[in-house]
Amino acid sequence: MKTTPLSNRLHIALFGKRNSGKSSLINALTNQNAALVSNIAGTTTDPVYQPMEIHGIGPCVFIDTAGFDDNGELGSLRIERTVQAVDKTDIALMVCCDTELSEEKRWIELLKEKGIPYLLILNKADLSENPKETANELERQTGERPLIVSAKEKTGMDSICRSILQKLPELGGQPDIVGDLVNKGDVVLLVMPQDIQAPKGRLILPQVQTLRELLDKKCITLSCTTDQLDSALNVLSAPPALIITDSQIFRTVYEKKPPQSRLTSFSVLFARYKGDIDYYTEGAYIIDQLTESSRVLIAEACTHAPLSEDIGRVKLPRMLRKRIGEQLHIDIVSGNDFPKDLNCYDLIIHCGACMFNRKHVLNRIAKAKTQGVPMTNYGVVIAYINGILEQIDK
């Protein structure tokens, strides 16, 4: 059975006040007890990410968030987590159950600012004497016609699914990983070192996803580790059309590749797949403007324990300090940690972000652009430091 990675699924987030029925609505939509439900306000604390397969929509992730009317010191922390969930949201469901919409309207404006399509949902229709009249009032206040539903009675679920499908074109298309770099029948060589960073018995996610897409595009693929690169090239009757390598061995592969073969890396491919390759490329050229008094932020999507030769925590800092100076200040964040204020940084270097959905990465890029901070990507930086950025395919 083909399993879609969470980072590639449509992210549907539910926002609303406490006890507006967000968790119950997820259960009704999925026809499962996927979310914890209680009459006690504030049952949902941190956002809950629930992967599902919905008929008509396909693989998706529902994000159940804490009520944005929470209070107290702990409530403020919960609301902050809800704000963070907005950055990962492809489509939002704004769940209401009354006509007091001051908070809802503020959050709707936030969604609009970030270009996130949303649906206005009037839940708990089973408790309303005149739900249509309530819906009219919601429309008067927001300019949006709400969908009238009852999570308890599971009515209106089909209308939500249909409306989500209607919103999909607003998201724009998800680019391919390899894009137009290959054609049907092309021979593609994947150079995949299985070092300490590779999970035992498995390939890392970018390798798996890239391989799957190449097969779907009817390419002929050959995989090898670094030490078998020469042998892999020798068994081919003609040079491969494209070589995709781990960025950490960019220079090694570049020096050994046939002149006819184009070259890129998994990280560079993901720079385009998840982010903005043009902005990342521009950001790499900032490296030569950095001094030892500069400050760099390295952002990694994964939250794995640091390894002895970790690319983000060890190898990249080593490369940068060797080129710029040992006193270069480098901050490292991982997972959902990402500073609100980026103005203290001269450059941001992000990983390939295979664990994030594209919306999340694009929102980080938007924050960097708004604050005028250059941003780039692991693979792009490594190619630049090795002097081959202009020679690789992006």
Side-chain angles (χ1 to χ4, degrees):
M1 182 179 67
K2 180 182 177 182
T3 302
T4 303
L6 296 188
S7 57
N8 286 5
R9 293 173 179 241
L10 180 71
H11 283 51
I12 306 169
L14 287 80
F15 301 99
K17 297 189 184 80
R18 291 172 294 172
N19 265 3
S20 59
K22 301 184 294 296
S23 300
S24 297
L25 192 56
I26 289 179
N27 290 344
L29 283 166
T30 62
N31 202 30
Q32 295 184 24
N33 291 322
L36 181 63
V37 174
S38 169
N39 290 326
I40 301 173
T43 299
T44 301
T45 53
D46 286 352
V48 177
Y49 295 79
Q50 183 64 45
M52 296 299 302
E53 184 97 18
I54 303 296
H55 179 68
I57 296 176
C60 58
V61 176
F62 281 104
I63 308 175
D64 189 11
T65 64
F68 49 52
D69 62 333
D70 214 332
N71 49 43
E73 184 177 349
L74 186 55
S76 296
L77 294 175
R78 291 170 178 169
I79 293 172
E80 180 59 32
R81 293 293 181 91
T82 299
V83 172
Q84 292 175 1
V86 173
D87 282 346
K88 305 173 186 178
T89 301
D90 293 311
I91 294 177
L93 306 184
M94 183 60 66
V95 185
C96 313
C97 59
D98 56 44
T99 56
E100 170 46 51
L101 299 180
S102 58
E103 284 295 309
E104 284 83 352
K105 287 190 283 188
R106 186 170 67 84
W107 281 73
I108 285 173
E109 287 305 311
L110 176 62
L111 295 173
K112 288 180 177 178
E113 287 174 13
K114 293 183 174 290
I116 300 172
Y118 66 93
L119 300 173
L120 190 62
I121 309 291
L122 174 58
N123 192 22
K124 300 188 178 182
D126 54 293
L127 300 180
S128 175
E129 293 182 1
N130 194 334
K132 289 186 178 180
E133 184 178 307
T134 304
N136 290 337
E137 176 59 20
L138 297 187
E139 184 176 15
R140 186 191 68 77
Q141 291 191 48
T142 65
E144 302 282 344
R145 185 65 185 176
L147 300 174
I148 302 174
V149 308
S150 169
K152 181 179 179 180
E153 298 183 351
K154 297 184 179 180
T155 59
M157 300 305 110
D158 287 344
S159 65
I160 292 177
C161 291
R162 286 196 300 270
S163 297
I164 289 173
L165 289 172
Q166 291 170 1
K167 290 287 184 182
L168 292 183
E170 297 181 30
L171 301 180
Q174 169 77 41
D176 290 342
I177 297 174
V178 294
D180 57 359
L181 297 182
V182 296
N183 297 304
K184 181 179 179 180
D186 280 351
V187 175
V188 181
L189 175 61
L190 308 179
V191 186
M192 306 187 298
Q194 300 303 295
D195 54 20
I196 188 173
Q197 298 186 65
K200 186 176 181 180
R202 294 180 289 122
L203 300 175
I204 63 173
L205 187 57
Q207 295 170 354
V208 173
Q209 291 183 253
T210 303
L211 177 58
R212 174 61 199 236
E213 186 176 296
L214 289 169
L215 294 175
D216 288 342
K217 288 179 176 289
K218 306 302 181 183
C219 293
I220 301 166
T221 62
L222 176 67
S223 302
C224 70
T225 51
T226 314
D227 58 318
Q228 294 298 311
L229 175 58
D230 291 330
S231 297
L233 291 171
N234 288 335
V235 301
L236 294 172
S237 59
L242 177 67
I243 300 175
I244 305 173
T245 182
D246 186 294
S247 297
Q248 299 177 65
I249 52 171
F250 241 147
R251 190 75 206 180
T252 298
V253 178
Y254 177 75
E255 291 174 350
K256 292 188 174 185
K257 81 173 189 70
Q260 308 96 310
S261 300
R262 290 172 286 121
L263 175 66
T264 190
S265 79
F266 295 100
S267 184
V268 171
L269 290 177
F270 270 67
R272 176 175 59 176
Y273 181 55
K274 297 285 187 176
D276 184 336
I277 185 62
D278 294 330
Y279 191 62
Y280 284 163
T281 302
E282 291 173 9
Y285 289 98
I286 299 297
I287 290 174
D288 283 337
Q289 300 176 25
L290 300 179
T291 67
E292 284 191 291
S293 61
S294 299
R295 192 175 186 129
V296 174
L297 175 67
I298 294 180
E300 190 168 74
C302 298
T303 56
H304 61 258
L307 303 173
S308 59
E309 283 297 299
D310 190 273
I311 177 64
R313 296 172 176 84
V314 179
K315 291 185 177 179
L316 265 177
R318 184 192 300 153
M319 291 179 191
L320 292 169
R321 289 189 172 117
K322 182 178 179 180
R323 188 181 184 100
I324 298 162
E326 289 299 320
Q327 300 306 310
L328 175 68
H329 188 100
I330 300 175
D331 292 333
I332 300 172
V333 295
S334 61
N336 290 321
D337 293 336
F338 195 72
K340 290 182 179 179
D341 186 357
L342 301 170
N343 285 296
C344 63
Y345 295 107
D346 300 286
L347 179 65
I348 301 168
I349 306 176
H350 208 291
C351 71
C354 63
M355 301 304 293
F356 285 172
N357 66 329
R358 190 165 192 258
K359 188 69 174 181
H360 194 174
V361 181
L362 291 178
N363 272 313
R364 287 190 169 184
I365 292 172
K367 289 178 182 177
K369 287 183 175 180
T370 299
Q371 297 181 46
V373 182
M375 189 169 179
T376 187
N377 155 279
Y378 284 15
V380 176
V381 165
I382 293 173
Y384 182 77
I385 289 176
N386 279 287
I388 59 173
L389 183 57
E390 296 300 326
Q391 282 72 52
I392 66 169
D393 280 84
K394 302 181 285 294

